[in-house]
Amino acid sequence: MSTDAGRLYPDCDPYGIAERLTEAEKAPLRRLRRVLEDEVRPLLAEYWEAGEFPYQIAPSLHALDLMTPSELTADGGQPRSLYHGFRIFELARTDASVATFYTAQAGLFRTACRVGGTPEQFAAWDPKITSFEMTGVFCLTEPEHGSDIAGGLATTARREGDEWVLTGTKRWIGGAFTADLLAVFARDEADGQVKGFLVDRQAPGVRLEKIHGKASLRMMQNADIHLDGARVPEAQRLGNVNSFKDVAAMLRAMRSDVAWIATGIQAGAYEAALRYVREREQFGRPIGGFQLVQEKLARMLGNVTASLTMVAGLAERQEGGVYRDEDSALAKMWISLHMRETVALARELVGGNGITLAHDVARFHADAEAVYSYEGTHEINALVVGRSITGRSAFV
């Protein structure tokens, strides 16, 4: 592929999807890349193997002001959806855990406050969210309820005067150990409807337990969150969350972020494999000159290009105010499915070295499995799309 220095992604974006970004949008992405290459990438293999997160990288990422970069907000404007997508893509092509860590704040928590909070709440909170003065995570999944969370959500909330009392357990909550606030969704005992609350992580009755033994996203610190009568003031109830339909509106916006992560993982795996085949020699010459190697590279690049085209199209629809469950579900479903093929081909190309951390491919290969399942499994997203196609729900 072309190595034109002016292109943002010369190796993995042959159709120039990223060239739809303005120069002002590219500038913060280039700053992000320098931090990722200089400060983050050298740490990845060590921390992935240890199952720990390199929290020392957080100040540098926060200082970049990627949510509201001055280049895009100086005249009162707001960053476009396409910029937000490529910010996630840039993070994920370096590492899925780093992308998940950042988007836990910039995507999930910020969206929970933007969609779930009242205009007054969001106006007060958002400057603190974008500066990381106020950090938080999104807490929906439970030990016994994932795909069936809409009807099965078991965490309860009971109002007592100007406070709410929360009881239950949340699972797989990434980034919880360093968050100030936990955006918890619980079923109101009074009316049976789901409501949202910003719970202080250090409040009495809140206990976090690290999930050990993971074979995917090993750097990401996931927690079980136990709520045993945790109290939340009414002022920290998300005022616009009055049923699960309001939570679904958040998921509609968030699911596209995961599609961008899955696209970035593919790009990272492809680029890692490409570096390897350009250098690795067998039978007296670089394996990049072998026919079967080139066929695999072509399939991988096709997957990356199709995925980039899909998420860019989705971003443009959302920029126009069109948010549909079936659109984000289709992107997450299709891209995650092809992500599995792309990372598997990358591992094949690197051969036995593909199961070591030395060449990055093993990390992408393992981390893809978590991304394939979270924010809606393949099957659940397929049923969301199928319902739109046929006009009939196949959910039980």
Side-chain angles (χ1 to χ4, degrees):
M1 303 309 302
S2 169
T3 56
D4 178 6
R7 297 267 300 272
L8 201 57
Y9 303 103
D11 284 326
C12 67
D13 181 20
Y15 288 5
I17 304 298
E19 302 315 301
R20 301 178 192 178
L21 296 167
T22 66
E23 287 305 312
E25 290 170 323
K26 291 179 182 178
L29 296 178
R30 289 194 171 104
R31 290 200 302 274
L32 171 60
R33 183 176 299 179
R34 286 194 293 272
V35 170
L36 292 173
E37 291 296 326
D38 296 344
E39 300 182 34
V40 178
R41 188 179 294 279
L43 303 174
L44 295 177
E46 174 188 352
Y47 279 83
W48 197 94
E49 185 165 27
E52 299 292 340
F53 193 86
Y55 289 111
Q56 63 267 38
I57 70 176
S60 294
L61 292 176
H62 297 172
L64 292 170
D65 193 23
L66 298 173
M67 283 186 265
T68 55
S70 58
E71 294 95 334
L72 305 180
T73 58
D75 60 356
Q78 291 295 316
R80 290 191 299 159
S81 297
L82 190 64
Y83 161 77
H84 285 303
F86 272 104
R87 179 192 67 204
I88 297 168
F89 177 84
E90 183 68 45
L91 288 159
R93 71 186 277 270
T94 298
D95 183 76
S97 288
V98 174
T100 303
F101 176 79
Y102 192 89
T103 55
Q105 169 84 359
L108 276 70
F109 183 66
R110 193 183 186 201
T111 299
C113 294
R114 175 177 60 83
V115 178
T118 65
E120 294 77 17
Q121 285 176 323
F122 186 61
W125 294 336
D126 196 49
K128 298 178 181 180
I129 294 172
T130 56
S131 68
F132 287 86
E133 178 185 349
M134 170 181 168
T135 60
V137 290
F138 188 84
C139 310
L140 179 61
T141 301
E142 298 179 347
E144 302 301 327
H145 300 287
S147 295
D148 70 343
I149 195 70
L153 190 147
T155 300
T156 61
R158 182 180 72 257
R159 185 160 186 175
E160 292 185 357
D162 290 333
E163 291 185 318
W164 292 81
V165 182
L166 273 59
T167 301
T169 303
K170 298 297 179 179
R171 185 163 175 81
W172 293 117
I173 311 306
F177 292 99
T178 55
D180 301 319
L181 297 167
L182 312 171
V184 174
F185 299 91
R187 195 173 301 280
D188 185 350
E189 291 182 354
D191 62 9
Q193 296 297 322
V194 174
K195 295 184 170 64
F197 306 87
L198 298 189
V199 181
D200 188 328
R201 174 176 56 86
Q202 297 182 338
V206 178
R207 179 171 62 87
L208 275 62
E209 182 180 358
K210 179 178 175 178
I211 298 175
H212 292 276
K214 295 190 302 172
S216 184
L217 286 185
R218 285 180 50 77
M219 290 200 325
M220 192 67 209
Q221 303 300 289
N222 294 91
D224 284 330
I225 299 177
H226 303 279
L227 304 163
D228 184 13
R231 291 182 174 270
V232 186
E234 167 64 14
Q236 288 182 211
R237 182 177 68 84
L238 293 170
N240 279 345
V241 180
N242 297 298
S243 72
F244 194 83
K245 288 183 178 179
D246 300 316
V247 181
M250 300 175 194
L251 299 175
R252 192 176 303 130
M254 296 170 183
R255 194 162 282 139
S256 59
D257 288 356
V258 185
W260 278 99
I261 290 176
T263 304
I265 287 172
Q266 291 186 77
Y270 169 76
E271 289 174 333
L274 183 59
R275 289 192 298 270
Y276 185 85
V277 302
R278 284 171 169 169
E279 299 171 357
R280 174 72 167 174
E281 291 192 1
Q282 291 286 278
F283 304 102
R285 59 193 177 100
I287 64 173
F290 296 165
Q291 290 181 346
L292 294 179
V293 167
Q294 292 187 1
E295 189 272 343
K296 288 180 173 62
L297 290 171
R299 286 164 60 191
M300 294 166 69
L301 184 58
N303 285 345
V304 177
T305 304
S307 298
L308 268 175
T309 302
M310 181 175 280
V311 286
L314 178 60
E316 289 168 355
R317 284 180 67 79
Q318 293 181 340
E319 185 69 25
V322 179
Y323 285 85
R324 302 192 311 171
D325 288 328
E326 57 267 33
D327 293 340
S328 54
L330 178 63
K332 201 280 176 175
M333 178 199 76
W334 192 92
I335 293 171
S336 294
L337 181 65
H338 288 78
M339 169 189 65
R340 282 179 124 186
E341 179 186 48
T342 301
V343 298
L345 289 170
R347 204 222 60 76
E348 287 181 28
L349 286 175
V350 184
N353 290 326
I355 66 168
T356 75
L357 296 172
H359 302 282
D360 295 331
V361 167
R363 181 166 42 81
F364 287 118
H365 184 259
D367 288 348
E369 284 303 296
V371 176
Y372 179 73
S373 293
Y374 73 47
E375 282 295 328
T377 63
H378 175 84
E379 292 78 11
I380 291 296
N381 281 307
L383 293 181
V384 171
V385 176
R387 181 177 60 194
S388 172
I389 293 170
T390 65
R392 296 178 178 275
S393 175
F395 288 97
V396 295

